[in-house]
């Protein structure tokens, strides 16, 4: 029996868009489009098994080999530095990591800057390079509230449309890094299932090039 290729997809709209790329690459699994609460779908004939996981968990599945390949945001790769191969920029799920603050904020450099974020490592790396003394307050969500309530001076967070910032009277002070979804692979899977993985990578790369033409 052919060995199955295990693919971890981020649950949600991004994952659905990305699944279409895998389908076009020759790894369809139509049952995935049935609207139910199942999390694992397989197409034995094509030798592929998809599972939906929380977007921030994809890299863990791939790093540990529970998935051979997956799709993860560059934000997660920068924050957790999982031991995986980053094979391709999927040019989707685009947003940016940015510093944001209440409108009119000015930084008093004599004081330690309080930074609220879910991305402690990205924030620490960024401010280390600027030499700014900071105090990181690690939060798990609704980061935008922190400066409003005086918990922090600024936030480091993902900005996509900018709506969340705007609706909370915050604005971008500085962009740290652009973010997009990446195709990642488990390092040993890339050796042992290299043919299938490279086929997918090459096909998706071609699909992206065609889009740009
Ligand atoms: C992210 C981010 C912002 C929002 C930005 O949250 O933390 O809150 O999206 O998007 P916008 O610029 O289009 O308004 P996400 O919905 O990913 O989840 P979270 O609340 O768990 O951070």
């Amino acid at each position: 029996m052919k060995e199955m290729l295990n693919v971890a997809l981020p649950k949600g709209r991004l994952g659905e868009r990305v699944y279409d790329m895998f389908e076009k690459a020759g790894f369809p699994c139509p049952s995935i489009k049935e609207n139910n609460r199942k999390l694992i779908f397989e197409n034995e004939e094509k030798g592929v098994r998809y599972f939906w996981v929380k977007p921030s968990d994809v890299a863990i599945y791939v790093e540990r080999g529970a998935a051979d390949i997956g799709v993860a945001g560059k934000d997660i790769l920068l924050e957790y530095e999982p031991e995986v191969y980053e094979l391709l920029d999927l040019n989707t799920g685009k947003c940016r990591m940015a510093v944001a603050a209440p409108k009119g904020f000015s930084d008093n450099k004599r004081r330690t800057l309080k930074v609220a974020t879910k991305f402690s490592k990205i924030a620490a790396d960024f401010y280390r390079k600027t030499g700014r003394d900071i105090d990181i307050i690690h939060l798990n969500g609704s980061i935008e509230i922190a400066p409003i309530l005086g918990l922090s001076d600024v936030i480091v967070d993902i900005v996509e449309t900018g709506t969340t910032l705007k609706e909370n009277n915050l604005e971008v002070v500085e962009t740290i890094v652009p973010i997009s979804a990446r195709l990642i692979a488990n390092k040993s899977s890339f050796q042992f299932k290299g043919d299938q993985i490279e086929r997918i990578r090459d096909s998706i790369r071609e699909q992206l090039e065609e889009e740009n033409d």
Side-chain angles (χ1 to χ4, degrees):
M1 204 185 76
K2 198 159 49 168
E3 243 210 299
M4 300 289 271
L5 186 74
N6 291 305
V7 184
L9 292 178
K11 224 189 293 179
R13 239 176 336 129
L14 170 67
E16 285 165 24
R17 211 175 319 145
V18 162
Y19 164 76
D20 290 337
M21 296 180 179
F22 284 90
E23 187 178 74
K24 283 196 195 126
F27 291 84
C29 186
S31 57
I32 207 169
K33 300 245 164 156
E34 288 162 16
N35 210 359
N36 58 32
R37 307 277 294 171
K38 260 175 70 170
L39 296 172
I40 302 183
F41 299 88
E42 63 180 56
N43 182 343
E44 222 178 304
E45 191 203 326
K46 296 285 176 187
V48 67
R49 181 184 294 127
Y50 292 99
F51 39 94
W52 296 115
V53 305
K54 202 173 163 185
S56 52
D57 288 340
V58 168
I60 299 174
Y61 282 84
V62 174
E63 180 176 41
R64 300 216 171 224
D68 298 305
I69 56 174
V71 171
K74 184 69 181 173
D75 51 331
I76 299 298
L77 303 179
L78 290 170
E79 180 65 22
Y80 300 103
E81 298 186 316
E83 280 290 322
V84 297
Y85 290 134
E86 191 183 314
L87 301 180
L88 189 63
D89 183 343
L90 297 175
N91 204 27
T92 186
K94 283 184 170 182
C95 51
R96 56 186 164 142
M97 187 65 67
V99 180
K103 286 202 176 112
F105 167 79
S106 95
D107 186 5
N108 176 353
K109 299 245 162 68
R110 281 171 309 206
R111 286 181 39 219
T112 299
L113 184 72
K114 287 187 282 176
V115 183
T117 188
K118 252 195 309 200
F119 300 94
S120 295
K121 182 182 181 313
I122 293 176
D125 288 350
F126 174 72
Y127 283 105
R128 191 177 311 112
K129 282 185 200 140
T130 69
R132 185 74 175 88
D133 183 27
I134 61 161
D135 177 14
I136 290 186
I137 300 155
H138 188 93
L139 297 176
N140 297 301
S142 301
I143 317 293
E144 292 83 1
I145 291 178
I148 298 170
L149 299 180
L151 179 62
S152 74
D153 300 308
V154 301
I155 63 173
V156 165
D157 202 7
I158 284 171
V159 180
E160 193 182 348
T161 60
T163 309
T164 312
L165 291 183
K166 206 165 157 204
E167 293 191 353
N168 290 289
N169 295 314
L170 303 173
E171 62 187 7
V172 169
V173 177
E174 214 171 337
T175 293
I176 298 179
V177 64
I179 303 291
S180 58
R182 309 295 162 106
L183 177 65
I184 59 173
N186 173 270
K187 290 190 167 178
S188 75
S189 301
F190 194 67
Q191 310 303 323
F192 295 111
K193 300 183 185 176
D195 286 354
Q196 288 155 290
I197 295 174
E198 283 182 19
R199 223 175 91 205
I200 288 178
R201 181 197 58 193
D202 294 347
S203 164
I204 295 179
R205 189 188 279 143
E206 278 165 26
Q207 291 173 36
L208 295 173
E209 280 165 7
E210 272 167 31
E211 268 172 34
N212 285 334
D213 282 346

